[in-house]
Amino acid sequence: MSSCYLETKSQYLNDVVKKTELKNQNEAEFLQAIREVLSSIEPVVVKHEEEYKKIALLERLVEPERVISFRVPWVDDKGQVQVNRGFRIQFNGSLGPYKGGLRFHPSVNQSIMKFLAFEQIFKNALTCLPIGGGKGGSDFDPKGKSDMEIMHFCQSFMNELQKHIGQDTDVPAGDIGVGAREIGYLFGQYRRIRNTYEAGVLTGKGLDYGGSLVRKEATGYGLMYFMREMLKANNIEIRNKNVIISGSGNVAIYACEKAQHMDANVIAMSDSSGCIYDKNGIKLDIIKEIKEEKRGRIKEYLNYVPNAVYYEKASNIPPIFNIKADIVLPCATQNEINLETAKVLLQNGVIAIGEGANMPCTNEAVEFFIENKVLVAPGKAANAGGVATSALEMCQNSMRYFWSFDEVDKKLEGIMINIFNQCQSAAKEYSCGNNYVAGANIAAFLKVSEAMKSQGII
Ligand code: NDP
Ligand code: 2IT
């Protein structure tokens, strides 16, 4: 876990980090996200130190507006009552209704929820669309559950969540373990309890009841649009580059699809058990069949392509990161790439990292990449295409209308180009070279802080 926070030139900034550490001692992931953002906005804070200190701007920025935690009881197929913990973190609503996904995974806890909601504030600001930052989820494990169990869980979860959300209040969507099936069950229960067809209360809906074209593809496609822009700005072509993608869920699958459209060679993908390496290029139709239809394991790829290779996860370093590649797209989960793994990737000649997942690299790994001239596309910018398209879904729901696939895709591409340009300009203005991690944090912080200042002490 990342622990480094280098003292900055701003005493105020250092004090806020220390106070936040003291107040949130058991929240390692949250503190990791705080240290990353706060250390990189140093040049802005130094300029405005007295002003920010007087209005406790940073103290307010790191304190969620609201943390909601609740019991989720449900009955499994054997008639046994199960109890999970549900969360919704409404972190910062200064730019619009709280917006962010729901994660169902056994590792979910308050620290993970708060880090994700904190990241979401800045990600949403970069989209330039009117959405604040939030996140939610549960420690419920969807693996191995029947459709009925998933439905019962989602209904119980929504019985409580519905008190806190609404199309102008807080708009959840998917994340790990939450896709179209879960959003459908959640939406049905919300509609039943409220007796209103409030289409914009959730995004990532099915296309036949208010979903947007391209939402399913948006995070992965957006990641590749950002990657293409970043490489172009550094005179590198994406064509024929070898790519490895960790994960084989929603983000990974559509990053792979767009990478293949761009003529890159995707040679490996993974899940939490291991990875497959196919030197002839991943056959994405097979991955989609295994993951989207059968909800199976990636190892089953060998049943279709016997000459591919499967590496089981055995050590600290997920096996996919031992495979030599030019471009590495971590699209599974937080802290997949630590310093040790980063060193292996560099030795293998990596030139660019694209964070499809949220915070997949530890702070030490990011620093190491940047020091060694590896380009890093930071998650809060590079994976913003998903939430941006969610905001486009809300927009279509408000109009009671829909746009074609090409219309939404063009808007997404434009948004991603704009996000890259913001990261690049902020990095340039604050003398950070091609450190787009700093660029993203600075550009997003400037937006959020201006909105917070305008709205008074709340
Ligand atoms: P999915 O549930 O569709 O897929 C998750 C993938 O990551 C699966 O292959 C899963 O493997 C793997 N994975 C999950 N947890 C772990 C773990 N602890 N260790 C190793 N592998 C793991 O989720 P998404 O594709 O939606 O999300 C992936 C990442 O992208 C997350 O970090 C999410 O926050 C981020 N993200 C998602 C967006 C979206 O629109 N969906 C938008 C922006 C970011 P297995 O099946 O074996 O668990
Ligand atoms: O991390 C993310 O940005 C998401 N899971 C998508 C959130 C959304 O509201 O679409």
Side-chain angles (χ1 to χ4, degrees):
M1 198 66 50
S2 258
S3 58
C4 65
Y5 171 77
L6 300 175
E7 294 268 307
T8 68
K9 285 188 226 119
S10 161
Q11 194 52 46
Y12 171 52
L13 197 52
N14 299 338
D15 288 347
V16 172
V17 172
K18 274 194 204 109
K19 271 194 270 178
T20 312
E21 287 172 342
L22 270 176
K23 266 193 172 176
N24 301 277
Q25 290 179 34
N26 299 321
E27 298 188 351
E29 294 84 1
F30 176 54
L31 292 176
Q32 180 182 340
I34 292 281
R35 289 180 190 116
E36 194 238 333
V37 171
L38 293 197
S39 60
S40 61
I41 59 171
E42 173 184 9
V44 185
V45 178
V46 164
K47 265 195 189 168
H48 303 277
E49 182 143 12
E50 285 314 307
E51 179 198 356
Y52 288 175
K53 194 172 169 183
K54 184 142 195 280
I55 60 170
L57 183 84
L58 298 180
E59 290 91 330
R60 287 188 287 132
L61 188 73
V62 300
E63 191 65 32
E65 288 179 10
R66 201 165 293 106
V67 174
I68 301 154
S69 166
F70 51 95
R71 180 206 295 159
V72 190
W74 58 281
V75 184
D76 71 17
D77 286 348
K78 296 191 188 100
Q80 174 63 50
V81 175
Q82 303 283 348
V83 181
N84 286 98
R85 184 170 292 175
F87 291 99
R88 188 71 186 166
I89 314 290
Q90 299 178 332
F91 215 123
N92 191 312
S94 57
L95 295 180
Y98 308 108
K99 181 83 195 87
L102 296 172
R103 176 177 292 190
F104 293 169
H105 193 271
S107 62
V108 163
N109 59 31
Q110 187 166 300
S111 171
I112 289 178
M113 292 284 100
K114 280 171 67 181
F115 113 66
L116 288 163
F118 185 70
E119 288 281 294
Q120 199 81 42
I121 305 167
F122 303 97
K123 183 193 304 194
N124 294 3
L126 289 172
T127 67
C128 296
L129 296 165
I131 41 180
K135 197 86 189 190
S138 174
D139 58 1
F140 172 72
D141 185 358
K143 276 206 193 82
K145 303 288 190 298
S146 69
D147 270 0
M148 276 299 139
E149 289 176 321
I150 299 280
M151 186 181 78
H152 289 143
F153 175 80
C154 288
Q155 291 179 338
S156 178
F157 185 82
M158 185 52 89
N159 285 348
E160 183 63 30
L161 187 70
Q162 58 90 19
K163 297 173 189 165
H164 310 285
I165 63 173
Q167 63 187 4
D168 297 315
T169 309
D170 183 352
V171 181
D175 193 81
I176 292 177
V178 178
R181 174 181 60 169
E182 292 72 19
I183 294 293
Y185 294 145
L186 291 164
F187 183 75
Q189 188 71 352
Y190 183 86
R191 186 172 71 74
R192 185 180 186 197
I193 298 170
R194 295 288 191 97
N195 191 26
T196 173
Y197 206 100
E198 201 184 318
V201 69
L202 288 165
T203 60
K205 296 180 294 294
L207 294 177
D208 38 8
Y209 67 94
S212 174
L213 288 159
V214 195
R215 176 61 189 88
K216 183 174 69 174
E217 294 84 356
T219 312
Y221 278 22
L223 173 65
M224 291 312 299
Y225 293 141
F226 188 100
M227 177 58 73
R228 182 194 62 199
E229 293 305 301
M230 180 175 82
L231 293 180
K232 206 167 28 165
N234 291 277
N235 301 313
I236 303 168
E237 260 213 62
I238 211 159
R239 213 163 163 260
N240 294 332
K241 293 286 181 296
N242 284 333
V243 178
I244 57 178
I245 305 180
S246 68
S248 46
N250 175 263
V251 179
I253 286 177
Y254 293 95
C256 178
E257 186 163 286
K258 188 50 80 179
Q260 292 179 339
H261 291 169
M262 292 176 175
D263 292 325
N265 308 320
V266 182
I267 51 173
M269 291 181 83
S270 67
D271 61 20
S272 59
S273 311
C275 79
I276 44 141
Y277 168 58
D278 186 343
K279 66 176 182 344
N280 300 317
I282 294 287
K283 278 92 188 150
L284 192 58
D285 287 350
I286 298 174
I287 300 284
K288 284 185 182 175
E289 187 177 323
I290 298 169
K291 289 292 175 183
E292 293 186 332
E293 287 167 37
K294 297 185 175 161
R295 298 181 188 273
R297 307 305 298 159
I298 204 151
K299 191 179 181 177
E300 293 162 35
Y301 189 84
L302 298 187
N303 301 339
Y304 303 79
V305 187
N307 61 352
V309 187
Y310 177 71
Y311 299 101
E312 186 93 15
K313 187 168 184 221
S315 72
N316 271 347
I317 301 184
I320 190 162
F321 297 125
N322 286 313
I323 295 169
K324 194 171 158 49
D326 306 302
I327 297 174
V328 174
L329 305 178
C331 294
T333 194
Q334 65 275 356
N335 293 325
E336 302 175 61
I337 298 180
N338 60 17
L339 184 59
E340 193 189 351
T341 306
K343 288 180 179 167
V344 173
L345 293 173
L346 185 73
Q347 250 169 21
N348 283 337
V350 66
I351 54 174
I353 307 284
E355 294 188 329
N358 285 307
M359 208 167 75
C361 302
T362 64
N363 295 353
E364 290 88 347
V366 171
E367 275 165 30
F368 176 80
F369 285 134
I370 289 170
E371 274 163 21
N372 287 282
K373 310 269 177 272
V374 176
L375 298 169
V376 180
K380 64 172 74 63
N383 72 36
V387 75
T389 308
S390 278
L392 299 178
E393 183 173 330
M394 291 162 72
C395 188
Q396 293 168 85
N397 294 151
S398 299
M399 293 190 295
R400 299 178 190 271
Y401 191 60
F402 69 97
W403 294 316
S404 69
F405 191 96
D406 279 354
E407 280 173 290
V408 183
D409 193 27
K410 278 276 159 295
K411 288 186 202 307
L412 167 65
E413 189 174 8
I415 291 168
M416 296 314 297
I417 293 172
N418 179 257
I419 294 177
F420 176 72
N421 290 340
Q422 292 175 67
C423 297
Q424 191 179 35
S425 312
K428 195 165 166 213
E429 190 181 337
Y430 287 89
S431 311
C432 305
N434 57 6
N435 179 348
Y436 306 114
V437 178
N441 286 332
I442 291 171
F445 170 75
L446 287 171
K447 279 201 185 126
V448 178
S449 59
E450 281 310 311
M452 286 176 72
K453 282 192 308 190
S454 307
Q455 293 174 27
I457 307 305
I458 52 165

